[in-house]
Amino acid sequence: SRIPIMRLSLLALLTLASGASSEPIFNADFEEQDLFTADAYASSSDGNLSVERGLLKGRGQLIATIDGDGLEGDNPWFGAASQWWGAMDVGDATPAQLKLTARVAVPEGSPTGPVVLSLKDEETGATWSFQATTTEEFVTIGGTLDDSAVENPAPLTPSGNYSIFVAFAEATWNGWSGEPDAINTLLFDDVKLERVNRDVRLQPASEAAANTKVAPKQPMPTYGKWHQSRLGGGGYWMGVVPTRDADVFYTFSDVGGAWRSDDGGASWRSLNRDLGGEDAGSYVRSLDVDPRDENVLLMASGSQWYTGGGLYRSTDAGLTWRQVVETPVMGNEEARMAGTTIARSPADPDRLVFVSAGSVRVSSDGGRTWSTVADDLFGDLFPSVVAFDAATPDRVLVGGQDGENYVGGWSPEGPKQYLGGLWLSENAGETWRHVSDEDVVELAQLPGDEAIYGVFNYDTVQRSTDGGETWSELRDGLPAPTGHNIIGTGRLQGLTAGPRFLLTINGQGDVYRLDAGESRWQQVRRTHVDDDGWYGNVPGEERKPGSHEGWVHFGKAAAFIGVDPTNADRWFMTDWYAVWRSEDAGRTWAISIDGLENTVSHDLAGQPGSPNVVHWGMGDNGYLRSSNGGRSFVDISFPANGGGSNVKDFGQSTADPNRLYATTNKRPGEWEAAQLAVSNDAGKTWRNPTMAGLPSDMGETRRMNSVTVCPNDADRILVGVSGDPAKHGGVYESRDAGETFRKLGSGLPANEFGTYFQTNVWAVGNELSLSGDGSAVAFSQDGRFVHRLDGSTWTPVDHDFGGQPYEVVADARHDGRFYLAVVGSGLWQSVDGGVSWGKLWSGSAYYVAVADDGRIAVGHETGIVVYDDGAWTEVAGDLPVRRRPIPAFAGDRLHAGTHNMGSFWRELKRR
């Protein structure tokens, strides 16, 4: 999900007295076409929304229009925004001494939705939002949006880089015409930032902390010589597991592995370890802790897309693991938000049941050894949850859900059809019988209560008073079902028991509580959510200040709700993006994310001549930029073309270090690369070139994973386009920075898939590279072909590389010198434009980076080797995740992008 801008939390309350304004620090309107980016964010209930800059009665405007069809139905809404990015001098002003204003108008009608202005300090990532919701703000073009809410009075960077974000917030709009032919218009104009004199009284820090329950931000963890970059979250967090120690918790995710906290959930440290196969330890489905020893763990982990996986056991808090069951575990499949697949008997902690696709296993020795039971019964089971009945310890319940899933990778025969339902065992799992066909996804039980509670079909809670034989609905007070929408208000995705109450949670993070002896659920009303500066909550997208209603990221697709057994008021919640903690029984929530990184890297690049600047291309989160050597990153939005949420590849030229190219997605939210973006200021701002001459179906059927730039001409680029090279696929060249393209060369063949270049955004590095003398090297999607450019013809390279090429890079300092990373073989070098090749390093190479001073780094199957002064050295032994890292040099630092845990950096001095 795209996360276009940051939001910081309210850390102190302000009492403000207005004063006289001085000369504006910033003053602009929308007729300055290069200043604001129109349509930086836009969506509506039916998509009939347009956002543009233009002239209306001679004035420059940001104009949002939506036709009457977009306002039909019970809950019509739209949201639109525009953004400016640039240098600004605010002197020694504090946020409380700044006044951000704009003119807004509604020529027709009187809408009541909110409008937001946000100022963000790009150097620190801090953001301050100014928001208004009253109808009188919208009466005429002279209406003013003023400082209705000022957040986080922290110091500003006196002379730094800032962005201004203006938004018609996503919300229901009343008073507009819903007639089919009606055109409704909302205008934003004349954005101004002024310094004013104000008296500021800060709430005492101790009082603020007592009110918000915010844990102090912890330093990012280090792993040996490696430092973790701060971004936070990503992926899907599956749950939080308490232990007998009130300070020790575990959490786990669908692609990032497992983590441990030793400070009550304030900060976390990775337990990710390569477990062989396709790194099965990253895709954790369930985690269990021995109630007698917080260092003894069981972890069910694996992916439906790869072989390997199963159940693993650790006796040293996850430092080392031993596989005790080999079986398919689908830790990142679509139903992964359901309950646990490992259950431990409350009467005998050595007795356990583990369920996986098509099988049930039991252990009587604490999980050291396992035996399979009832294979013939569970052959088609797709398990969601397993639980012991505390009132009858030999009784075990297994719930499943129907659906299609691959096992062990894609199959031309298609996915396997699995079944749901409910099964019972009366002898601790030895024999079973089927009792229901309904999908059961969660189970829970109140202490001392014989009743068993379950979430059925993701939309209702049911109760059984006869050990699971029969069930009755218990949904009074719960929201109406909303179908299969994972973020629906009526989709229930968690169930847990406190000492005298049950909790369930929906896809919007709303918590419902059922007290013991009651029959009606009560919603737990949130009063405050503190995200502690996290990038994932977007200003301008909630319906009223502080409400966290609308599209904010708190609680989206919530997977888990849990109660600390040592403290009934401490609750944990996990969602798509983060772990959240409440210390007051769900009234206020604080993010618990320090050390948790579950984000996917596509590419990393240093900035020539500026070692503190690092560029990061990511899946889902788009482009991020660091100006402090990789310690932290800020999100910078790409031009509004619907894409920008996935950034696959960077292209740079030593001829102009500030010129940066990127390939990104063209269709909203898609995992693809089909659009070119260009920056002329080292990644601070971006534009989309016209790309005239490229095939018209870019993004629909064609992909463009790779871009390469001539080292001595920053305007000259090559891109690789998927599809048959004899038709519209192949290599295209631009001599004007991507504005126009022409097909370059002939001779590239199509493989059995009808393409030369890769279509899958995940399956390849840079597959095309251009040298300063005009020579170029490319390789095919299936690794069968490597070609070099010989004049106007692509000529096959007559060499057996012993494996599949994965990335090719030209050495900018030496014309005709190329490096080719080959899976299963190693790193190869050519010094004559790709004609002949010699091996530099033997191994399984995936990625290669070349430093300005000639050092080389190779990201291989389980780490990174660096070539310096005639020797190769392994440098990634301490990385918590070492599978196929993406290396990048930035001065004397080596950065490593991972495919599931963000990025890391370490100092790397010359030998």
Side-chain angles (χ1 to χ4, degrees):
S1 178
R2 181 73 175 130
I3 304 176
I5 199 165
M6 299 182 182
R7 175 170 192 150
L8 283 191
S9 54
L10 181 60
L11 298 179
L13 301 177
L14 303 175
T15 301
L16 305 177
S18 298
S21 298
S22 58
E23 288 296 315
I25 298 172
F26 176 87
N27 193 3
D29 61 38
F30 288 91
E31 58 192 349
E32 299 184 47
Q33 294 297 308
D34 293 330
L35 198 56
F36 276 82
T37 301
D39 195 20
Y41 161 84
S43 61
S44 70
S45 51
D46 74 344
N48 295 337
L49 169 70
S50 66
V51 183
E52 60 184 347
R53 287 181 304 240
L55 292 175
L56 190 66
K57 295 182 179 180
R59 300 186 62 92
Q61 308 283 343
L62 175 68
I63 306 168
T65 59
I66 185 168
D67 62 32
D69 293 337
L71 299 175
E72 294 179 343
D74 297 330
N75 188 37
W77 56 264
F78 87 85
S82 183
Q83 190 171 20
W84 168 86
W85 202 107
M88 186 187 298
D89 190 346
V90 299
D92 59 354
T94 68
Q97 293 170 320
L98 295 179
K99 179 181 180 181
L100 188 61
T101 61
R103 296 173 183 265
V104 291
V106 179
E108 303 176 25
S110 301
T112 58
V115 177
V116 176
L117 285 168
S118 293
L119 173 70
K120 184 171 85 168
D121 185 340
E122 296 286 349
E123 302 299 316
T124 65
T127 305
W128 302 271
S129 293
F130 304 74
Q131 190 161 359
T133 58
T134 56
T135 56
E136 55 266 24
E137 301 286 355
F138 304 90
V139 175
T140 68
I141 192 64
T144 298
L145 176 63
D146 204 344
D147 49 348
S148 299
V150 184
E151 295 205 355
N152 191 34
L156 294 161
T157 304
S159 181
N161 297 311
Y162 290 85
S163 64
I164 293 175
F165 188 75
V166 298
F168 311 122
E170 184 174 288
T172 301
W173 294 80
N174 300 315
W176 284 29
S177 174
E179 295 299 320
D181 297 329
I183 300 295
N184 303 280
T185 304
L186 187 61
L187 310 175
F188 228 135
D189 183 32
D190 223 10
V191 180
K192 184 185 298 183
L193 181 68
E194 303 169 274
R195 179 167 179 167
V196 296
N197 296 322
R198 304 168 187 258
D199 295 324
V200 181
R201 179 182 66 82
L202 298 182
Q203 183 181 16
S206 58
E207 184 181 345
N211 288 342
T212 60
K213 312 274 188 193
V214 181
K217 181 170 286 189
Q218 305 297 312
M220 291 300 287
T222 58
Y223 300 88
K225 295 181 180 180
W226 289 91
H227 302 258
Q228 192 167 22
S229 300
R230 182 181 295 278
L231 179 65
Y236 203 174
W237 302 91
M238 297 292 98
V240 175
V241 183
T243 72
R244 64 175 184 171
D245 187 328
D247 291 327
V248 177
F249 292 84
Y250 293 89
T251 188
F252 54 98
S253 75
D254 60 346
V255 298
W259 286 260
R260 172 173 165 141
S261 173
D262 287 282
D263 54 11
S267 65
W268 305 84
R269 186 172 183 82
S270 171
L271 306 180
N272 195 315
R273 293 293 182 270
D274 298 321
L275 298 181
E278 294 287 340
D279 191 14
S282 294
Y283 313 98
V284 182
R285 176 63 177 86
S286 298
L287 190 71
D288 175 85
V289 182
D290 193 317
R292 301 161 295 187
D293 187 344
E294 64 274 14
N295 298 316
V296 177
L297 314 175
L298 287 168
M299 178 176 71
S301 190
S303 169
Q304 75 267 34
W305 299 115
Y306 306 115
T307 57
L311 189 66
Y312 300 83
R313 188 171 187 267
S314 174
T315 58
D316 54 9
L319 295 178
T320 60
W321 297 89
R322 180 176 67 88
Q323 188 171 19
V324 292
V325 173
E326 183 177 354
T327 188
V329 172
M330 292 173 278
N332 59 341
E333 51 81 30
E334 291 185 359
R336 57 197 182 277
M337 76 293 296
T340 183
T341 59
I342 308 170
R344 191 182 295 262
S345 170
D348 180 2
D350 281 327
R351 178 167 288 182
L352 296 105
V353 177
F354 166 53
V355 292
S356 61
S359 68
V360 173
R361 290 175 170 84
V362 297
S363 173
S364 59
D365 57 6
R368 296 174 181 85
T369 61
W370 295 80
S371 58
T372 304
V373 297
D375 267 342
D376 55 334
L377 178 62
F378 294 111
D380 295 324
L381 169 69
F382 187 72
S384 297
V385 62
V386 57
F388 279 86
D389 182 352
T392 307
D394 282 341
R395 181 180 294 141
V396 189
L397 296 86
V398 167
Q401 54 190 306
D402 59 3
E404 294 183 336
N405 273 285
Y406 288 97
V407 178
W410 178 86
S411 168
E413 299 176 357
K416 178 179 173 62
Q417 180 69 44
Y418 285 97
L419 302 179
L422 180 66
W423 283 260
L424 282 179
S425 172
E426 302 289 352
N427 51 11
E430 294 298 329
T431 60
W432 296 82
R433 56 191 173 86
H434 180 245
V435 295
S436 173
D437 289 325
E438 286 193 84
D439 287 354
V440 181
V441 294
E442 299 278 355
L443 292 167
Q445 197 168 13
L446 286 168
D449 189 347
E450 293 188 358
I452 303 170
Y453 300 81
V455 173
F456 283 67
N457 306 310
Y458 288 110
D459 60 16
T460 186
V461 177
Q462 297 190 30
R463 175 171 54 193
S464 174
T465 57
D466 56 9
E469 299 284 352
T470 61
W471 297 79
S472 59
E473 280 204 345
L474 187 68
R475 63 162 302 105
D476 191 16
L478 293 176
T482 51
H484 295 289
N485 184 359
I486 195 172
I487 59 172
T489 56
R491 165 109 172 187
L492 304 179
Q493 296 177 173
L495 184 69
T496 194
R500 294 283 297 164
F501 57 88
L502 288 168
L503 300 177
T504 189
I505 191 168
N506 68 9
Q508 286 287 321
D510 299 323
V511 180
Y512 294 84
R513 174 173 175 149
L514 181 71
D515 288 320
E518 299 294 326
S519 59
R520 179 178 178 82
W521 295 86
Q522 302 292 330
Q523 184 173 356
V524 179
R525 298 295 178 182
R526 290 192 304 273
T527 60
H528 183 66
V529 174
D530 198 302
D531 54 32
D532 196 26
W534 178 53
Y535 76 108
N537 273 332
V538 184
E541 297 186 14
E542 52 186 345
R543 294 175 183 156
K544 58 184 179 179
S547 70
H548 281 71
E549 297 173 353
W551 187 263
V552 293
H553 293 88
F554 172 85
K556 284 294 185 293
F560 167 85
I561 183 74
V563 179
D564 183 349
T566 69
N567 180 356
D569 287 336
R570 176 183 284 176
W571 299 355
F572 285 91
M573 183 268 287
T574 67
D575 60 17
W576 262 342
Y577 306 100
V579 174
W580 303 85
R581 187 184 65 184
S582 174
E583 299 284 353
D584 54 7
R587 289 185 292 277
T588 64
W589 292 87
I591 200 165
S592 176
I593 207 169
D594 286 335
L596 295 181
E597 299 289 341
N598 194 22
T599 45
V600 178
S601 303
H602 282 312
D603 198 9
L604 279 175
Q607 176 63 28
S610 301
N612 283 329
V613 176
V614 184
H615 310 287
W616 191 3
M618 300 181 64
D620 289 334
N621 295 315
Y623 171 68
L624 293 104
R625 185 179 190 271
S626 175
S627 58
N628 56 15
R631 288 186 176 88
S632 62
F633 286 80
V634 296
D635 174 84
I636 294 179
S637 296
F638 270 28
N641 63 336
S645 58
N646 284 271
V647 172
K648 170 61 178 174
D649 189 34
F650 294 120
Q652 295 172 298
S653 171
T654 53
D656 182 358
N658 287 323
R659 177 72 60 79
L660 183 64
Y661 296 87
T663 57
T664 182
N665 55 310
K666 196 168 187 177
R667 299 178 298 169
E670 290 296 323
W671 290 327
E672 65 181 21
Q675 172 71 47
L676 189 66
V678 185
S679 173
N680 290 321
D681 53 13
K684 295 176 182 178
T685 61
W686 293 82
R687 64 180 175 85
N688 285 338
T690 56
M691 303 195 311
L694 288 183
S696 60
D697 56 354
M698 297 299 298
E700 297 175 13
T701 59
R702 298 189 189 280
R703 304 294 183 264
M704 182 175 60
N705 283 317
S706 302
V707 57
T708 180
V709 192
C710 181
N712 49 36
D713 183 356
D715 288 339
R716 184 185 181 194
I717 63 174
L718 304 183
V719 297
V721 176
S722 67
D724 189 345
K727 297 177 181 178
H728 297 296
V731 178
Y732 285 78
E733 179 187 44
S734 173
R735 299 266 184 165
D736 55 9
E739 296 299 326
T740 61
F741 283 89
R742 68 177 181 89
K743 193 82 170 286
L744 179 63
S746 60
L748 292 179
N751 60 20
E752 60 183 305
F753 302 103
T755 185
Y756 184 88
F757 290 113
Q758 178 66 255
T759 58
N760 186 348
V761 74
W762 307 107
V764 72
N766 197 329
E767 52 201 339
L768 174 68
S769 196
L770 174 65
S771 184
D773 61 359
S775 60
V777 173
F779 61 86
S780 66
Q781 180 256 7
D782 58 0
R784 292 171 54 199
F785 307 111
V786 177
H787 285 76
R788 62 182 180 86
L789 185 62
D790 185 5
S792 60
T793 303
W794 290 94
T795 301
V797 173
D798 185 16
H799 188 90
D800 182 5
F801 292 98
Q804 178 172 327
Y806 203 85
E807 182 163 77
V808 61
V809 172
D811 188 334
R813 304 174 309 137
H814 301 282
D815 287 352
R817 180 175 293 180
F818 294 90
Y819 299 96
L820 184 67
V822 180
V823 177
S825 175
L827 182 70
W828 296 79
Q829 177 186 246
S830 174
V831 296
D832 55 10
V835 176
S836 60
W837 295 81
K839 185 181 285 191
L840 294 181
W841 177 81
S842 294
S844 190
Y846 285 83
Y847 300 95
V848 58
V850 182
D852 296 339
D853 57 15
R855 287 177 291 179
I856 305 169
V858 176
H860 59 85
E861 190 72 48
T862 57
I864 300 174
V865 290
V866 172
Y867 180 80
D868 185 13
D869 196 23
W872 290 94
T873 305
E874 175 63 53
V875 296
D878 294 322
L879 270 178
V881 53
R882 299 180 298 278
R883 188 170 184 79
R884 304 172 189 173
I886 304 169
F889 290 99
D892 282 329
R893 284 186 178 173
L894 178 67
H895 298 262
T898 74
H899 297 289
N900 56 4
M901 274 193 65
S903 73
F904 298 80
W905 61 272
R906 58 165 288 174
E907 301 293 344
L908 197 66
K909 301 295 184 182
R910 290 298 311 259
R911 289 173 63 93

